[in-house]
Amino acid sequence: MIGLPTVLSPVTVGPVTVANRIISSSHQTSLVHAHLPTEDLIAYHRARAAGGIGAIFLEATAVHPSGLLTAHTLGGYRPEIVPAFARLSDAVHAHGTRLFVQLFHGGREQISSAPKAPAVAPSAVPSLRFKAEPRALTVREIAELISGYAIAAAHARAGGLDGIEVSMAHGYLPAQFFSALSNHRRDDYGLGARTRFAVEVLAAIRAAAGDRLAVGVRLSADELTTGGLTAEDCAQIAAELHGEGLIDFASLALGHSADPAASTWIAPPPPVARNAIAEPAAAVRAAVPGVTLIATTRITELADAERVLAAGTCDLVGMTRAQIADPELIARAREPGAGAPRGRARDPAAAAGIACVGANACIAHYHAGTPIACAVNPRTGRERMLPAPAPHGPGRRVLVIGAGPAGLAAALEAALAGDTVTVLERGEAIGGQLRLAGLAPAHAELWTRYRDSISARLDAAGVGLRFGVSATADDAEGADLVVLATGARPYRPPGLLPGHTSTPGDAPAAVTAWAAITAPETVTGPVLVADWGGGWEGLDAVERLAGAGHTVGLASAGTMPGETLHQYQRNLYLARLDTLGVTIRHHTALAAPGVLRHIYSGRQAPWPEVATVVIAHGREPDDALWPALEDHPAVVRAGDVLGPRTLEEAVLEGTLAVRTPTPAPAGA
């Protein structure tokens, strides 16, 4: 394809040829049972191989029972994994995609719930993020772990895999030997020989894997943590390992698992700059010009991948989250508009594709111990149970009320099935709450990527959109299926907002967080944002108001601000709020007009001297139309009108809503 000559060209990685330069890097799916792959994991990777990706790197696979990060970590040390590897290999190789596995030991890092195994590490240094408290490995135990790497490598070879990547990044076990933060040893594995463990591991893997498999490492290009490995340190370690002649490639990432802030860089969401890996990767390239490099962190567009590759910064690019959202990314790049692979239903909006918006629902599921999912692609992780629908005939007349994410997902799914779809929206544009959130820094990129992607898909699918229409029950007459997706509105606590009993005298004005996000310039400062601690509205209001020049304080009634948000997104909010000079009153709620209350001790205090109090106390369904529609023979609700939640639930429920069996169209 013109414009992507490097992306779509083959590349050699050791003894293996990869058909194109885009890979799916190792990421946890939780599609694992008893530390073995499930049929759902095979279906998940088969879909991405069918979509044309060059290589898939299986998720972190433990080399020893002590290295299991969670209850859903693959066990590469188990003999039973060999036939499972063979099934995965067959599924992926059938589409010309190469299959690698990442061999892993977490060391002191543990996410598992109780009862936990004892953690081990080079030294008995606790982990700040996961609060694991390890014991120091003995030399004999180190030898046992090295043997475990060899056993897992032999299993990969027997299972027909093409290559092995050893996890030496993110502060996991091999990287713990590299760093003064975690290695206080005084023996032959101390900092004076920081790469000894890594070299012995690679030598053991080489002996077990043979000449047919490519062998490489995943390294941090910069740990981005105080006292950790700098970009210069990481480049030197890469050079040392390359100098041993044991690696065919190095895969570069950012961040450190044990550091609460640096962990964000493992899978950073917006507004972290795109292509964040490019500059650190260039430093490693300069240190190891002869090794094949893979770069992965926030490369979200194929055009960006082409630029990085063409510049010689790296040889392959990991676009993992982009592939989670759109398995057919490469197939579409090769032949725009070609649609789904042979034997699968063709999406009429296939030419547009599904853009990753950076919501991080994928990694949030991993941290929650649940199967992988995607906020914008409901089929991710559900490849076996939620196939694309086959067109039925004659098509139904489908009315969707509301053009937020739930309504638009319903409209697209119905159009895919061959239905005639009309969407009524009382506002002047699509997007619902997502459009509102897009006004704030945390969600600006998410919103624009969602808007552009969904607009292209709606247009390609032929969905009819009517704006400025306040739907009534009469609009549902003649429709074979009605989807009510009118979303939510701010919850207005009695006595604290206009429309309820107001505070006498010179009390501060009170507005909703939604109003503050929409027009921060109309708010009089100084401002106190009273946030129940739940989600995005309060934090986005704080940022919008501070960005407009107001002095802003935050009273957060949650255990922590943004309690329901994924930790990486929350970490970035807290960093920005601190930079903006926002004062946070933790564990503090509005008790009554003029009164704050500590949610644990019950201690009360007066409101600070402010001109405006911004209320972010959650949402409630905007369901006024439901009683009039409830008796329609085929009406369903989807998204926040059923109960306010997130983008992920809205898209999933909208998709499922039109798959519900409904009466045949009139005249059928």
Side-chain angles (χ1 to χ4, degrees):
M1 174 183 176
I2 296 174
L4 297 173
T6 319
V7 162
L8 297 178
S9 65
V11 62
T12 298
V13 183
V16 175
T17 298
V18 179
N20 62 69
R21 307 298 182 100
I22 304 301
I23 70 151
S24 174
S25 61
S26 177
H27 59 284
Q28 306 308 100
T29 66
S30 298
L31 300 174
V32 174
H33 178 68
H35 306 300
L36 295 172
T38 63
E39 292 303 314
D40 286 328
L41 182 62
I42 295 172
Y44 172 81
H45 286 304
R46 180 189 291 114
R48 280 137 192 90
I53 195 165
I56 290 170
F57 285 61
L58 291 177
E59 56 201 84
T61 299
V63 300
H64 188 271
S66 64
L68 294 167
L69 195 61
T70 75
H72 301 291
T73 302
L74 289 174
Y77 54 87
R78 297 192 59 182
E80 300 92 333
I81 204 166
V82 173
F85 276 162
R87 293 197 304 277
L88 276 162
S89 296
D90 289 345
V92 168
H93 288 161
H95 300 281
T97 297
R98 295 295 193 173
L99 185 63
F100 290 61
V101 65
Q102 184 185 86
L103 298 187
F104 172 88
H105 194 295
R108 66 178 181 173
E109 298 302 283
Q110 285 186 331
I111 303 177
S112 296
S113 301
K116 294 183 178 182
V120 297
S123 302
V125 181
S127 169
L128 177 62
R129 179 172 169 222
F130 294 123
K131 313 307 180 195
E133 299 160 290
R135 72 170 189 272
L137 287 160
T138 67
V139 172
R140 183 171 181 174
E141 287 175 322
I142 289 173
E144 181 181 341
L145 294 183
I146 292 170
S147 177
Y149 279 97
I151 291 168
H155 289 164
R157 178 183 181 182
L161 273 63
D162 300 295
I164 292 168
E165 173 185 87
V166 185
S167 175
M168 297 187 178
H170 299 145
Y172 295 124
L173 181 62
Q176 290 162 25
F177 281 93
F178 297 157
S179 175
L181 291 178
S182 47
N183 188 348
H184 300 168
R185 300 179 74 96
R186 298 183 181 277
D187 61 8
D188 291 341
Y189 290 95
L191 283 179
R194 62 181 178 177
T195 59
R196 177 179 175 177
F197 177 75
V199 168
E200 290 179 355
V201 163
L202 288 168
I205 287 173
R206 276 288 189 193
D211 296 333
R212 186 181 61 80
L213 274 67
V215 174
V217 291
R218 185 164 226 204
L219 296 171
S220 292
D222 192 332
E223 288 190 336
L224 297 167
T225 185
T226 302
L229 300 174
T230 64
E232 292 76 16
D233 294 327
C234 293
Q236 181 57 40
I237 288 168
E240 290 179 32
L241 295 179
H242 177 50
E244 295 288 338
L246 294 170
I247 60 173
D248 297 312
F249 67 91
S251 175
L252 304 177
L254 296 172
H256 194 292
S257 178
D259 182 278
S263 66
T264 304
W265 290 92
I266 295 174
V272 168
R274 283 164 49 179
N275 311 321
I277 191 64
E279 185 175 340
V284 177
R285 168 66 89 194
V288 286
V291 70
T292 298
L293 285 188
I294 304 170
T296 176
T297 302
R298 281 282 282 150
I299 299 178
T300 60
E301 297 284 350
L302 283 172
D304 290 338
E306 177 66 30
R307 282 189 285 272
V308 171
L309 289 163
T313 301
C314 58
D315 303 289
L316 298 100
V317 167
M319 294 184 64
T320 307
R321 283 180 284 180
Q323 291 279 331
I324 290 171
D326 186 0
E328 294 166 14
L329 182 70
I330 300 302
R332 189 174 296 105
R334 286 202 186 104
E335 190 179 349
R342 186 182 303 170
R344 292 167 58 189
R346 184 186 183 279
D347 185 339
I354 306 172
C356 171
V357 300
N360 267 13
C362 45
I363 197 167
H365 275 265
Y366 164 54
H367 288 151
T370 55
I372 193 170
C374 176
V376 290
N377 185 346
R379 292 182 170 83
T380 293
R382 302 182 180 91
E383 286 78 10
R384 291 202 306 151
M385 68 181 74
L386 188 58
H392 56 72
R396 300 170 298 182
R397 292 162 295 179
V398 176
L399 175 68
V400 178
I401 303 174
L408 298 182
L412 283 170
E413 188 77 359
L416 175 60
D419 297 327
T420 300
V421 184
T422 300
V423 180
L424 303 183
E425 166 57 45
R426 65 189 168 201
E428 299 303 320
I430 64 170
Q433 295 169 60
L434 206 58
R435 180 160 56 95
L436 171 68
L439 297 171
H443 298 109
E445 180 184 332
L446 184 153
W447 161 240
T448 57
R449 290 181 65 79
Y450 171 83
R451 179 198 62 204
D452 294 348
S453 174
I454 202 74
S455 296
R457 299 184 75 214
L458 289 165
D459 184 63
V463 172
L465 291 162
R466 293 172 55 195
F467 297 107
V469 178
S470 294
T472 68
D474 292 341
D475 292 305
E477 292 296 325
D480 300 307
L481 175 64
V482 179
V483 180
L484 184 67
T486 44
R489 57 180 175 255
Y491 173 66
R492 307 169 76 91
L496 294 175
L497 282 165
H500 299 285
T501 303
S502 59
T503 309
D506 297 324
V511 300
T512 68
W514 289 25
I517 293 168
T518 301
E521 69 282 356
T522 66
V523 175
T524 303
V527 181
L528 175 69
V529 176
D531 181 10
W532 71 321
W536 55 272
E537 306 102 306
L539 298 181
D540 279 355
V542 169
E543 272 201 275
R544 285 279 281 168
L545 291 163
H550 293 301
T551 299
V552 185
L554 171 64
S556 176
T559 304
M560 66 186 79
E563 190 170 351
T564 66
L565 302 176
H566 182 253
Q567 56 186 285
Y568 294 170
Q569 188 179 43
R570 183 172 60 242
N571 293 348
L572 294 174
Y573 267 120
L574 294 175
R576 295 194 302 273
L577 265 55
D578 185 66
T579 301
L580 289 167
V582 174
T583 301
I584 301 178
R585 298 169 182 255
H586 294 280
H587 313 137
T588 301
L590 295 186
V595 180
L596 298 175
R597 177 178 57 85
H598 191 280
I599 62 171
Y600 295 117
S601 71
R603 175 179 53 81
Q604 295 191 349
W607 288 3
E609 294 293 325
V610 295
T612 305
V613 174
V614 174
I615 309 295
H617 275 209
R619 299 163 292 165
E620 61 182 359
D622 193 354
D623 56 0
L625 188 55
W626 177 246
L629 290 174
E630 208 167 2
D631 292 333
H632 189 284
V635 62
V636 292
R637 291 173 287 181
D640 284 358
V641 72
L642 276 170
R645 285 150 296 153
T646 73
L647 173 63
E648 180 186 343
E649 289 88 2
V651 171
L652 176 61
E653 288 178 2
T655 300
L656 295 176
V658 296
R659 297 174 70 96
T660 303
T662 57

